Amino acid sequence: TQSTWGIWRSVRPCGLVVMDSASTMEAVELPVAREPVVEHPAIDNDASQTQESKRALKRKQKDIKWEVIKKLKKDAKKERKKAAKEKLLAERGPKPAVLEHSAPRPSNKELKARWQSLVPLGQKVVVDCGFDAFQSDKEIKSLSQQLMYAYGANRKMDDNPFHLFCTNFEGRIKNCLSKVPGSLDWSVTYSERSYMELFDKDELVYLTADSENVIQELDPKKVYIIGGIVDRNRLKMATYSKAMEQGIQTAKLPIDTFVQVHATRVLTVNHVFEILLQHSLIHNWERAFLNVIPTRKGVNSLEHDDEEEEQDDQEERGEDGTRNPVANHNT
């Protein structure tokens, strides 16, 4: 038995029920605080770490495999180089015996000093720069480049370089060439004066294609002059006329005697200079022309052309030596 105001309490899974006798015994269901769902991050982290460790292991194994492959390739490359080197040495044969007391190789500075000491003793060649007023700025620039090429060719002559002079060296040609670093310090004799003031008239020989005299050999006692003209077709007879007015000798290179040039026969300053260098070195005009004149000019040896003509002539003749009348018949 309970009192009227007694309160019945009971705990149920769905909530707490409170019954009051003063009321109509209505059941009120109150929310019950349930236990929150507790997650376990430690378990999830362990799973993710396991997955990451597997990837890292695969990546590490892949890296190790690639390192092994690289080392094998590197070793194989070394072996191929070694085999190629041994083969090359075997083809060359044994090295010549080296003397125990052989002199050391001179330095570049010593070689240059030796070359500079030989320049004043070489064949004297003059580039006449006295045509400055008759040429355009473009031609003056081209002339300065030709002087560079001529000096470069002379620089390669170790034992017998020429003594190069640039006379009437003033005005635009001087300003143009001075823009090349170190050009005024070359082993070249620059002079604003004329060659007529520097040398005896009897020593001078002006090289011009208009001359009737042909050079056979270079005379070390002579001074050969090359006209500093770029467009000789525009200034025809300029060098020959100048030499005649000054009363000095003229000569031309023996091109027609040794080679045949199918294109223009005009040669640049550096080509003429290099031909003289080549002849002084090998003493063969034909080889000098073939070595220097550009192939675009269609230069051929006259001996080669004579052999071809003789061969063609033999083909035109029959076995009995008589000429075949049908050989050259055009159909």
Side-chain angles (χ1 to χ4, degrees), residues 135 138-144 146 227-235 266-269:
Q135 302 191 84
K138 184 178 180 180
E139 291 170 340
I140 292 297
K141 183 178 180 181
S142 179
L143 177 60
S144 67
Q146 294 177 22
I229 300 176
V230 174
D231 190 355
R232 298 179 187 274
N233 290 326
R234 184 169 59 85
L235 297 176
V266 176
L267 299 177
T268 61
V269 171

Side-chain angles (χ1 to χ4, degrees), residues 48-264:
S48 61
Q49 287 178 1
T50 302
Q51 189 175 3
E52 289 292 330
S53 62
K54 287 182 179 180
R55 291 178 182 176
L57 181 60
K58 288 182 179 180
R59 190 181 301 111
K60 187 176 181 180
Q61 291 175 348
K62 188 176 180 180
D63 292 342
I64 293 174
K65 182 179 178 181
W66 175 241
E67 290 296 330
V68 172
I69 293 175
K70 281 203 306 184
K71 188 176 184 305
L72 292 175
K73 288 183 177 181
K74 188 175 181 180
D75 294 342
K77 187 176 181 180
K78 285 184 178 179
E79 290 296 329
R80 290 196 300 269
K81 284 186 176 181
K82 184 178 179 181
K85 186 177 181 180
E86 291 177 353
K87 182 180 178 180
L88 182 62
L89 292 176
E91 292 176 354
R92 290 180 177 178
K95 293 183 178 180
V98 181
L99 299 177
E100 296 181 0
H101 302 287
S102 58
R105 185 184 180 278
S107 64
N108 292 336
K109 186 176 181 180
E110 293 173 342
L111 291 174
K112 184 177 180 180
R114 176 182 175 276
W115 181 83
Q116 290 175 336
S117 66
L118 294 175
V119 168
L121 307 177
Q123 178 75 60
K124 294 180 176 61
V125 177
V126 172
V127 176
D128 180 14
C129 301
F131 299 92
D132 189 279
F134 304 99
Q135 302 191 84
S136 64
D137 292 339
K138 184 178 180 180
E139 291 170 340
I140 292 297
K141 183 178 180 181
S142 179
L143 177 60
S144 67
Q145 292 176 341
Q146 294 177 22
L147 291 175
M148 290 170 54
Y149 294 142
Y151 179 75
N154 196 37
R155 191 68 181 82
K156 296 177 182 178
M157 301 290 287
D158 296 330
D159 297 324
N160 55 344
F162 282 4
H163 189 179
L164 180 60
F165 292 79
C166 289
T167 59
N168 297 105
F169 188 72
E170 56 186 348
R172 290 181 298 164
I173 182 61
K174 183 177 181 179
N175 294 334
C176 189
L177 190 62
S178 62
K179 294 178 182 178
V180 180
S183 59
L184 298 183
D185 296 327
W186 292 344
S187 296
V188 177
T189 301
Y190 299 105
S191 178
E192 296 181 357
R193 295 187 295 169
S194 170
Y195 46 82
M196 297 290 290
E197 303 176 52
L198 299 177
F199 306 101
D200 186 28
K201 182 188 293 188
D202 296 335
E203 298 176 347
L204 300 174
V205 178
Y206 213 119
L207 297 178
T208 170
D210 302 310
S211 176
E212 296 180 357
N213 304 320
V214 180
I215 293 180
Q216 300 300 328
E217 291 293 335
L218 295 180
D219 188 348
K221 297 180 180 179
K222 296 293 185 180
V223 180
Y224 295 97
I225 307 170
I226 303 173
I229 300 176
V230 174
D231 190 355
R232 298 179 187 274
N233 290 326
R234 184 169 59 85
L235 297 176
K236 292 183 178 180
M237 301 288 292
T239 54
Y240 182 78
S241 300
K242 184 176 183 179
M244 291 293 98
E245 291 176 2
Q246 294 174 338
I248 60 178
Q249 303 177 53
T250 62
K252 64 180 178 180
L253 299 176
I255 296 179
D256 296 333
T257 307
F258 295 95
V259 295
Q260 182 179 10
V261 182
H262 298 282
T264 175

